[in-house]
Amino acid sequence: MEDLGHFINGKRVSGTSGRFDDVYNPATGEVQYKCPMASAEETTDIIEKAAAAQPAWGATNPQKRARVMMAMVGLMNRDMDKLAEALSREHGKTIPDAKGDLQRGLEVIEYCVGAPQMLKGEFTDSAGPGIDMYSMRQPLGVVGSIMPFNFPAMMPLWHVGPALACGNAVVLKPSERDPSVPLMLAELFVEAGLPEGVFQVVNGDKEAVDTILDSEIIQGVSFVGSTPIAHYIYSRATANGKRAQCFGGAKNHMIIMPDADLDQAADALVGAGFGAAGERCMAISVAVPVGEETADKLIEKLIPRIEKLKVGPYTAGNDVDLGPVVTAAAKDRILGLIQSGVDQGAKLVVDNRDFKLQGYEDGFFVGAHLFDHVTPDMDIYKQEIFGPVLSTVRADSYEDALKLAMDHEYGNGTAIFTRDGDTARDFASRVNIGMVGINVPIPVPLAYHTFGGWKKSMFGDLNQHGPDSFKFYTRTKTVTSRWPSGIKEGGEFNFKAMD
Ligand code: NAD
């Protein structure tokens, strides 16, 4: 069985800890690779190698660094099919979903081509007599990036791209579920001209992560994953004096007002709820129709649409709407939560608990499910299911629907479907959630805006990509300089003149 290895100083290197995790093909249930789990010693060695490479990269002018980004865009486009195939084979998502994953990552690399503009400092001429003052943004040094399984291309690229463009060295710890694409991306960066050692990939689990969190070399940590781990990483990284941004889980509500176009809303819910088998932090997992009549009509429209969804392996191409979930454990967890919904009194109106795909009986497939009459006390409402399960919570009024979304502990994304501008504007203004869609079910901001949730969906201050990423990956230094023209009689500097 092939050992995927780590990516150290520009090359794949086998792990030496003797510990491995299995990487599956979720469609067949077969193990396809061994992923090495780095020891603390291996991780420390990789961090030290990154530290050795960083000063020269940090001193490289921003335009040259941007050219690496430009070359990377070309290389990713060249290898798009190969990357998408590798991504689908390990993650399970369909090829169009895999290409979407790569494309949204690529867009942040395109954005990073503008790094010189983003890194320009500020200058005040004659802040006092003979005194100029300027601020510059300098790289942090070596940063750590700990990433989730669900977007194995997009998530690393959102962090590695801006971090490198700012002149940092990066130690990436991808998800142990699907590490192949991050490793391939690291290889492409070197082909694009990135000096070896500036981008290191360490595969592993808690041991590698804790080593990153405790390393005195690491200056900043970005994390994306589940909320309990996000909170843990944020606490430990900041307790160690590091800058940290940690993005967590989600439970995204979509409110459907009585005046909404219900066909449009139903189509949107099916795409946003079941695309990528619901394994998206921006998936809509709760539909909130306002009024009984809206709810009845919506459910009537949803049922045939959901029953029509085709579940299958990515190799079936465009005939498939959703693939398997990532592991057998994820499948068991999702099925357990569906059962809890039934036991706690929700009405399972599309029930695929017995779903089996002929010829793929060992794959981790879960059919699409729709619940009606879900209430906020149920586990399927409180927890992030991260699978192809849509819950419907009926609300009596707009205020009740708004309160429901606001009272949930997660605050990543939300949407409202309505034809009424006042309601839409009120919702966007009052809701305590980071990303809002108006007649848009998955409001993922483009690369030049920023992406981030509120409440327990995010720990830290600065968002992912957009201008925030350039702030996160740099430190500001402000210089005040005085030249002889500011020296007055007697050789004394005239500070008063600064007032
Ligand atoms: P996860 O929290 O299980 O794992 C994320 C990373 O943390 C992995 O690299 C993993 O190896 C590491 N990790 C896991 N347990 C750890 C521990 N005890 N100590 C140290 N490190 C540990 O998340 P996942 O299942 O890979 O990803 C799915 C989650 O990510 C969902 O909750 C989803 O909502 C969230 N997500 C959030 C965003 C966002 O921007 N808010 C984006 C994508 C995914």
Side-chain angles (χ1 to χ4, degrees), residues 226-240:
S226 58
T227 285
I229 310 297
H231 189 245
Y232 163 72
I233 304 263
Y234 185 76
S235 310
R236 190 154 172 170
T238 52
N240 284 329

Side-chain angles (χ1 to χ4, degrees), residues 51-330:
Q54 192 275 329
W57 177 243
T60 301
N61 77 52
Q63 203 165 344
K64 283 194 180 155
R65 296 200 302 253
R67 283 190 196 124
V68 172
M69 299 293 146
M70 216 185 301
M72 183 66 180
V73 170
L75 294 176
M76 276 188 69
N77 279 316
R78 182 196 72 187
D79 288 1
M80 185 58 80
D81 290 339
K82 194 165 98 181
L83 290 162
E85 206 276 333
L87 198 157
S88 292
R89 189 162 16 96
E90 280 181 9
H91 178 286
K93 62 176 81 173
T94 62
I95 292 286
D97 275 338
K99 287 194 173 166
D101 187 333
L102 286 153
Q103 179 61 29
R104 293 312 289 261
L106 178 60
E107 286 167 14
V108 170
I109 304 302
E110 287 171 348
Y111 175 68
C112 290
V113 174
Q117 169 70 11
M118 299 304 298
L119 293 171
K120 273 191 330 202
E122 293 170 334
F123 187 87
T124 301
D125 172 45
S126 299
I131 296 194
D132 300 324
M133 202 173 280
Y134 58 97
S135 303
M136 53 185 153
R137 308 203 74 94
Q138 295 193 322
L140 299 181
V142 184
V143 296
S145 213
I146 300 141
M147 292 292 122
F149 81 84
N150 69 319
F151 280 96
M154 181 183 88
M155 294 312 331
L157 289 168
W158 281 11
H159 291 273
V160 170
L164 293 175
C166 290
N168 299 284
V170 181
V171 176
L172 170 71
K173 208 301 281 172
S175 169
E176 59 276 38
R177 308 272 164 260
D178 43 17
S180 284
V181 169
L183 288 163
M184 290 162 81
L185 292 172
E187 284 164 346
L188 284 185
F189 263 114
V190 171
E191 192 181 339
L194 188 73
E196 291 173 2
V198 173
F199 179 13
Q200 313 271 13
V201 183
V202 58
N203 279 309
D205 53 12
K206 186 170 168 51
E207 185 168 342
V209 172
D210 286 350
T211 308
I212 291 171
L213 298 177
D214 293 344
S215 163
E216 287 186 6
I217 293 173
I218 299 282
Q219 297 295 305
V221 172
S222 56
F223 170 87
V224 185
S226 58
T227 285
I229 310 297
H231 189 245
Y232 163 72
I233 304 263
Y234 185 76
S235 310
R236 190 154 172 170
T238 52
N240 284 329
K242 300 182 198 319
R243 181 177 293 195
Q245 53 169 193
C246 301
F247 301 88
K251 194 81 178 174
N252 305 317
H253 295 53
M254 178 169 134
I255 293 166
I256 303 98
M257 295 300 293
D259 66 352
D261 177 331
L262 290 185
D263 285 305
Q264 197 189 59
D267 287 340
L269 276 169
V270 171
F274 300 100
E279 291 175 320
R280 288 177 178 148
C281 70
M282 288 295 276
I284 293 288
S285 47
V286 185
V288 190
V290 172
E292 288 297 318
E293 198 188 330
T294 314
D296 291 342
K297 281 193 200 151
L298 184 72
I299 293 285
E300 202 177 289
K301 288 182 186 293
L302 282 172
I303 291 173
R305 284 169 165 84
I306 295 171
E307 284 174 345
K308 257 203 314 228
L309 289 173
K310 290 196 205 104
V311 181
Y314 75 92
T315 43
N318 290 338
D319 288 342
V320 170
D321 296 304
L322 57 141
V325 297
V326 69
T327 56

